[in-house]
Amino acid sequence: MSKFQDNGNSSTGTVSQLTEHLFRREAGKIISVLTGFFGIERLHLAEEIAQEALVRALQTWPWYGIPDNPAAWITQTAKNLALDLLRREKLFRDKQSEIAVSVEQWSTDSVTEESPLFETEIREGPLRLMFACCHPLIPQESQSALALKTLCGFSAAEIARAFLTTEAAITKRLTRARQKIRELHIPFEIPSGWELSLRLDGVLQTLYLLFNEGYKASSGESLVREELCSEAIRLATLLAKHPVGNQPRTHALVALMFLNGARLPARVDAEGNILRLREQNRSLWNRAMINRGMLHLSQSAAGDEISEYHLQAGISACHCTAVDYSSTNWPQILSLYDRLVLIDDSPIVALNRAVALASVDGPEAGIKAIESIRNRQPLASYYLLYVVLAEFESQLDEFQGAANHLRQALQLTRVKSEQMALSKRLHECEEFL
Amino acid sequence: MESPISEYILLFRGTDWGKDLSPQEIQNVMGQFNHWMERLSQHGKLKVGQPLASKGKIISGKTTRTVADGPFAESKEAIGGYWLLKVENFDEAVKIAGECPLLNYGSSIEVRPVLEKCAHMQWFDEHPADGSALTYEQVSG
């Protein structure tokens, strides 16, 4: 009966009380478990079953109320759908009965039942999927998209919004990635031995890019972009908890994500304008995230390796632990950048180092450092180069030069919130002329 | 003798509109739908609501009865469930139907007044002069 006839049980709860992102999480779990049963070459089938299970929930719950254990309901539905599919279609030929047995044993109530098989599937499934999605033979741009689709339950449209591209482009990337997995027989397993370290680097790199994509200046829909950051944090944390991923550089990556993510709420003002570090209200920084970041940073200080993640997390920690802008430990930040430029010769890193250098040795030193790198690609067309130069020049009261550089920067950015912030600064400069 | 109609049936059409939604969107829609439903039932406007199974039988035939599997309507047209509303008037029922979050995703809703008498009887009530030549027995027979 519908819940109208069953008023005695009306306290079962409303859908709005469902755990945040429950459906996304359950989709990810179901996909990784079913992929374990079906084989990675049938990833798409697992995705379809997860989707169908959620649609069934949508067609049922609003009328009858939410089941006591929503996650178990969804899993049970996915299990039934999988068994139906196995009975109906002859997709797996000789393996059919073998797979059916595995699906039958799939415990749908992970909370109460202690099935060792299922425990392993739950623990290992997402990691196997992570290693498969981030396989070096899959194009880099497809890796993040596939991870978001299969592990985080994002739709192609949501991924497209986050990456500022079209849904069709994302669908194409996803199709190509699945095709590569089939063609190249990419295994659904956690690599071991000599391969592990190499492949782990690939996974960390993809998660890092995923985080950066979300963290980049707020273009597009800020909500969905911040979700990229939190998904990257979730996956990296999952990796760090597992013995295989529990490496110093994984902890360094997690630390860097938490420490940067903690400052997101203070990055824009009420009108959506980007705020510089010195303008930010530090009380808006997320203390809990900073604490977790510092914890992972201490866990990363093991072994003898110092990765770029270590250095970036260290820089971020300097900012997070400074009570105000003026007490920032710039010499420490500069020394971290000095080491980072040795590992990463990107001109963007060099530009950031110039900012740290100017804070230690003054704006002239900063300008000098930039002169030596400004012709390197793609820096010449990078708007922040001109913003930084303008900043140094206004510190030296050279407002004409600063205004010129701000105008150049304005031509190079199309992000509205940045344009607004730059126009404001240009206006301030012009007042001194 | 016109009595105000106070009961309306809402027929929810479309059963496959959720197929292309992302898990997050499915959860959001479900939350919105549920919230809407709870609010109306708390205000006493929603009397009964039930989903319908997608499969059933269609019975037809003037002399011999034929039983076929149905409904055959396309999933876009198929009725996924119904509500029985108790409201002031048609406008209110239509207004409530317009609030349905499923509409944003391609579903549609049919609003039909529930009559207290059958349509023919109603017609006679409203047109007593025109119907004077006939008796009630003849029409309702």
Side-chain angles (χ1 to χ4, degrees), chain A residues 326-353:
Chain A
S326 60
S327 55
T328 309
N329 186 349
W330 287 108
Q332 170 74 9
I333 292 175
L334 180 60
S335 85
L336 288 165
Y337 270 118
D338 284 342
R339 294 166 78 175
L340 190 55
V341 287
L342 299 177
I343 303 179
D344 183 350
D345 67 348
S346 122
I348 310 286
V349 174
L351 179 63
N352 279 300
R353 184 188 163 272

Side-chain angles (χ1 to χ4, degrees), chain A residues 226-278:
Chain A
E226 276 175 31
E227 282 179 6
L228 288 192
C229 291
S230 51
E231 289 302 320
I233 289 178
R234 188 177 69 87
L235 295 180
T237 311
L238 205 65
L239 197 58
K241 272 190 205 148
H242 193 279
V244 155
N246 182 7
Q247 306 283 342
R249 62 189 190 281
T250 312
H251 286 290
L253 177 64
V254 178
L256 126 76
M257 288 177 176
F258 272 122
L259 294 171
N260 281 310
R263 291 185 274 123
L264 274 173
R267 282 210 315 179
V268 287
D269 66 13
E271 280 86 48
N273 298 307
I274 301 252
L275 295 175
R276 283 174 288 181
L277 207 45
R278 74 173 62 163

Side-chain angles (χ1 to χ4, degrees), chain B residues 84-104:
Chain B
L84 183 62
L85 293 183
K86 194 170 177 64
V87 290
E88 293 296 318
N89 51 43
F90 207 153
D91 287 346
E92 191 184 359
V94 170
K95 188 177 160 283
I96 287 173
E99 293 166 354
C100 175
L102 308 189
L103 294 173
N104 301 338

Side-chain angles (χ1 to χ4, degrees), chain B residues 61-81:
Chain B
K62 283 182 183 171
T63 48
T64 39
R65 301 281 177 264
T66 312
V67 178
D69 286 335
F72 300 109
E74 295 208 12
S75 51
K76 200 170 174 288
E77 299 291 319
I79 296 170

Side-chain angles (χ1 to χ4, degrees), chain A residues 7-26:
Chain A
N7 283 333
N9 201 19
S10 62
S11 61
T12 345
T14 58
V15 183
S16 47
Q17 286 166 346
L18 286 175
T19 328
E20 207 184 350
H21 303 318
L22 173 83
F23 277 40
R24 264 189 195 163
R25 300 286 170 269
E26 290 310 311

